[in-house]
Amino acid sequence: MTNSRIESFHPPQRTLMGPGPSDVNPRILEALSRPTIGHLDPEFISMMDEVKDLLRYAFQTNNEVTMPISAPGSAGMETCFTNLVEPGDKVIICRNGVFGSRMLENVERCGGEAIMVDDPWGRAVDLEKVEAALKTNPDVRILAFVHAETSTGAISDAQAITKLAHDNDCITIVDTVTSLGGVPVKVDEWELDAVYSGTQKCLSCIPGLSPVTFNDRAMEKIKNRKTKCQSWFLDVSLMLGYWDGGGKRAYHHTAPINPLYGLHEALVLLHDEGLENAWARHRLHHNALKAGFEALGLELVVPEAERLPQLNAVSIPDGVEDAVVRKQLLDAYNLEIGAGLGESAGKLWRIGLMGYSAKRDNVLYCLSALEAILGDLGSSTPRGKAVEAASGVYKKQ
Ligand SMILES: *Cc1c(COP(=O)(O)O)cnc(C)c1O
């Protein structure tokens, strides 16, 4: 040990406007600090039942199998793939950003064979390419795609992709990590089969949990597996003994008690606000932020019709150094925005308006900070224009 005495850790108070985690509502932080009780305590079990019901509301589903996995969004992804993909299975993966490549990794590690349908970064999944891939690979039974690509801010048509998959006898695995709570995700109406999400994006909870929901088609495929699920921990049929024991729940693993209090509170907040209102709020603040970016001469990367309100990718102006601006935002403003991932590193910023972060204070703060920093770096935008443009959008409300 280099230090003779290490003291309690006190993080700085940041404003989180990156690709997640987003700002956590203080009510959730308070819920996390409530007394820890046993994970089979009857009081805890009735809270778990409420979490499942509230998740059904968030996902707009009546699926019996709806629960949070005790690990982050990546584990929700892995839960879907390890339970549904058996060795030798062919899987079509739509890739239009970073997370499609993660799906490829998952399929290969399950011993499956991936067929990639690639689209340019920053664009939605192209339905014609999906249809062509389904037609040329009639032996495929699973199709996976990302509803909201956090690496670029593009949204794809989950309902239309799933319809194509079903018309060709395939079930879908859908990543809704960034979409849930920010834009419509209608699991039952759109007939999505195996769906996973995360807690630290538009649900504004702490990271570390991953809600999933499986419909009967997905559960049927799981029940008819010829081989055991490769993962003991993520095996849905074992997990259900704990999450759905019908009154007599069996120990599977110790649930993350306090994080689940946090998720419960986050879902109560979402339910009280109402999904439609949450979607409209993300849209409103996106419109204000966009007006500010336009005043600053910052260009949004994704075409309007394919743009997510909660994740705004903008091109970094010529001559401006990515890391310098982000460091100043963090050091001088305690404001975190996201860098480009993979092939867009250094080329764009990703500015998140997720959950509790989707509010007027954050929009105006981010615009004025960027305006000041870019002004110092020689931008010709007159000071105050970006905030004025965003305020104009709010005034029209
Ligand atoms: C954040 C994210 C994930 C991974 O979630 P973690 O909680 O970081 O494991 C997966 N898919 C998408 C689209 C994401 O945005």
Side-chain angles (χ1 to χ4, degrees), residues 275-310:
L275 275 173
E276 284 80 6
N277 293 332
W279 301 331
R281 175 168 53 81
H282 284 88
R283 176 68 52 193
L284 166 67
H285 297 298
H286 160 78
N287 286 339
L289 188 69
K290 182 179 68 170
F293 284 157
E294 278 161 6
L296 281 172
L298 293 175
E299 231 169 272
L300 284 158
V301 174
V302 177
E304 180 138 20
E306 299 168 13
R307 215 177 264 164
L308 280 170
Q310 64 269 48

Side-chain angles (χ1 to χ4, degrees), residues 72-75 77 99 102 146 148-150 175 177-178 196 200-201:
S74 305
M77 179 188 280
F99 291 97
R102 296 250 181 115
V146 179
E149 232 323 326
T150 324
D175 179 318
V177 176
T178 281
Y196 62 92
Q200 77 275 29
K201 313 233 172 161

Side-chain angles (χ1 to χ4, degrees), residues 162-210:
T162 299
K163 168 103 178 42
L164 285 174
H166 289 171
D167 288 348
N168 291 277
D169 212 11
C170 276
I171 65 167
T172 50
I173 294 178
V174 190
D175 179 318
T176 66
V177 176
T178 281
S179 45
L180 191 69
V183 287
V185 175
K186 300 183 176 181
V187 169
D188 284 2
E189 190 182 321
W190 300 349
E191 301 187 12
L192 314 180
D193 298 299
V195 184
Y196 62 92
S197 191
T199 45
Q200 77 275 29
K201 313 233 172 161
C202 296
L203 298 182
S204 255
C205 188
I206 53 165
L209 293 168
S210 178

Side-chain angles (χ1 to χ4, degrees), residues 284-296 359-368 371 384-397:
L284 166 67
H285 297 298
H286 160 78
N287 286 339
L289 188 69
K290 182 179 68 170
F293 284 157
E294 278 161 6
L296 281 172
K359 56 182 174 190
R360 185 200 296 234
D361 313 27
N362 281 23
V363 169
L364 299 180
Y365 187 56
C366 176
L367 288 172
S368 55
E371 194 166 56
K385 282 286 173 219
V387 169
E388 193 183 302
S391 303
V393 171
Y394 291 124
K395 277 199 203 107
K396 278 199 224 117
Q397 268 295 295

